[in-house]
């Protein structure tokens, strides 16, 4: 079998999120992502009022020794395309722990690619379908995440929003 597994988060996993470490000290946009995971992600994933958006929170673990490698979360959104609403998916967060950043599993796959593929595979299994359009929001300084998105088909960049000029909105074509 594979040296990793992915599963939906369970209530007992909340403590893992509280201590999730993915940010380099002093890098504001990384600290913002880590703070979201530590303080908000569990509520985001389990909020009964958000159920209509089908929020999903998945965890990637190394099998032996068992270790949390990363988290990916996504939800249904509606995008306006040519004035018409289109069912889509927003990647709410995708993060790899600092100890796994840049690392590969023994089989040669990058941890980040395994995590992104698992998230996109989960998106593809949602009913009703919402995998035709997948959107990720990436800070312009986050070159590694932008490349990860491009490797997995999020190659189109939408116009930047005035309120978030440093955030890139990457989407599948």
């Amino acid at each position: 079998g594979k040296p990793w597994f992915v599963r939906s988060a369970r209530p007992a996993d909340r403590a893992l999120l509280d201590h999730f470490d993915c940010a380099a000290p002093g890098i504001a946009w990384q600290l913002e992502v880590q703070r979201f995971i530590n303080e908000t992600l569990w509520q985001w994933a389990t909020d009964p009022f958000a159920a209509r958006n089908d929020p999903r929170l998945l965890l990637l673990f190394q099998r032996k020794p068992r270790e949390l490698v990363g988290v990916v979360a996504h939800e249904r959104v509606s995008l306006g395309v040519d004035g018409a609403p289109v069912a889509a998916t927003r990647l709410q967060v995708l993060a790899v722990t600092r100890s796994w950043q840049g690392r590969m599993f023994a089989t040669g796959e990058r941890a980040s690619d395994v995590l992104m593929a698992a998230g996109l595979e989960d998106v593809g299994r949602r009913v009703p379908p919402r995998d035709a359009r997948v959107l990720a929001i990436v800070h312009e300084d986050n070159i590694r995440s932008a490349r990860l998105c491009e490797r997995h088909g999020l190659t189109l960049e939408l116009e930047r929003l005035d309120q978030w000029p440093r955030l890139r909105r990457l989407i599948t074509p």
Side-chain angles (χ1 to χ4, degrees):
K2 297 186 190 291
W4 73 83
F5 66 96
V6 177
R7 66 166 171 74
S8 294
R10 303 174 184 150
D13 296 324
R14 186 171 182 174
L16 293 174
L17 299 178
D18 292 345
H19 303 290
F20 192 86
D21 176 23
C22 63
I27 300 182
W29 55 270
Q30 289 185 13
L31 291 165
E32 189 176 325
V33 169
Q34 181 171 300
R35 201 166 24 257
F36 174 77
I37 293 168
N38 296 160
E39 299 172 7
T40 309
L41 183 56
W42 185 257
Q43 291 87 339
W44 173 90
T46 59
D47 182 346
F49 293 106
R52 71 184 179 282
N53 297 332
D54 190 27
R56 301 277 295 155
L57 171 56
L58 305 173
L59 305 178
L60 170 64
F61 291 91
Q62 173 180 256
R63 273 191 204 282
K64 291 180 183 169
R66 180 160 299 184
E67 178 184 0
L68 179 61
V69 173
V71 300
V72 60
H74 61 83
E75 70 179 340
R76 176 180 26 245
V77 293
S78 183
L79 297 176
V81 177
D82 299 326
V86 173
T89 297
R90 179 178 60 186
L91 293 177
Q92 181 68 22
V93 70
L94 184 147
V96 173
T97 62
R98 278 203 312 163
S99 63
W100 272 91
Q101 289 174 13
R103 284 180 56 194
M104 294 184 184
F105 288 100
T107 48
E109 294 97 341
R110 294 178 188 182
S112 59
D113 283 322
V114 169
L115 187 60
M116 177 68 95
L120 294 176
E121 184 179 313
D122 191 66
V123 168
R125 289 195 301 258
R126 307 317 299 152
V127 176
R130 55 183 171 93
D131 59 346
R133 292 267 189 267
V134 178
L135 170 72
I137 300 170
V138 178
H139 192 279
E140 66 186 2
D141 293 339
N142 192 344
I143 304 301
R144 291 182 301 181
S145 288
R147 286 188 184 137
L148 175 68
C149 287
E150 289 165 12
R151 285 196 305 274
H152 290 270
L154 285 78
T155 55
L156 198 67
E157 184 166 356
L158 300 177
E159 190 176 325
R160 294 196 189 189
L161 300 174
D162 291 340
Q163 65 267 41
W164 299 301
R166 301 201 66 202
L167 296 181
R168 298 177 66 192
R169 297 183 305 149
L170 305 175
I171 192 166
T172 51

